[in-house]
Amino acid sequence: VLATLQGALAGRYAVERELGRGGMATVYLAHDARHGRPVAIKVLHPWLAPELGDERFVREIAIAARLQHPHVLTIHDSGVAAGLRYYVMPYVAG
């Protein structure tokens, strides 16, 4: 998935490495080439999309995009690249 994501987002995000993995998605560290900042990219596991559909992940994106709170990360971007559904948020070390 990492190599596919790197190729699909090349030019926009330089995807560096995996940060963590959960039941639904994997989070990668990347560099936002347009804005010169580190970001985290959360990618739905590709094997889950056909089983569950990506509805739940799309709802998560929609809900997170509407939240505005000092302790909640905002969504910078979202989409589908090479069949991988993802969203981009600020990277917070630690």
Side-chain angles (χ1 to χ4, degrees):
V1 173
L2 177 58
T4 301
L5 191 63
Q6 287 170 324
L9 297 178
R12 179 71 176 94
Y13 300 103
V15 183
E16 298 174 13
R17 64 182 169 86
E18 183 178 314
L19 289 173
R21 182 181 300 254
M24 271 189 69
T26 302
V27 179
Y28 297 93
L29 173 63
H31 180 78
D32 181 341
R34 184 177 299 159
H35 302 291
R37 61 186 172 190
V39 294
I41 302 178
K42 187 172 185 176
V43 180
L44 177 66
H45 294 312
W47 58 88
L48 282 180
E51 269 183 42
L52 303 174
D54 59 2
E55 280 182 26
R56 184 173 170 189
F57 197 70
V58 170
R59 275 195 316 268
E60 179 180 331
I61 293 169
I63 291 166
R66 289 192 308 261
L67 295 175
Q68 301 240 342
H69 189 277
H71 300 291
V72 176
L73 296 175
T74 58
I75 301 258
H76 290 317
D77 190 15
S78 67
V80 178
L84 300 171
R85 172 131 348 240
Y86 70 92
Y87 67 88
V88 181
M89 62 195 119
Y91 169 69
V92 178

